[in-house]
Amino acid sequence: MSTATYTVKGMTCGHCVSSVKEEVSEVAGVTNVEVDLATGLLTVDSDAPIDTAKIVAAVEEAGYEVANP
């Protein structure tokens, strides 16, 4: 199991959190996604390490940005 943490910029409400969780959850191999609105932290658990570009793309698909990917 692998865990990676990212900082997401631009989230302001619960709907933002839901959008990010939904998109990142759809990345192949992801087993769990946690998003903290207050800190902007995105924690991704997976069976094996996932390419950062895939997570960044999912966050961008949700309409947000990863700080320093």
Side-chain angles (χ1 to χ4, degrees), residues 20-62:
V20 170
K21 282 183 81 164
E22 182 178 332
E23 290 295 335
V24 174
S25 293
E26 292 177 5
V27 174
V30 170
T31 56
N32 187 50
V33 178
E34 295 296 327
V35 181
D36 186 316
L37 177 61
T39 62
L41 284 182
L42 164 65
T43 304
V44 180
D45 294 330
S46 56
D47 294 327
I50 294 179
D51 184 3
T52 298
K54 292 181 180 179
I55 302 299
V56 170
V59 170
E60 289 174 351
E61 182 69 27

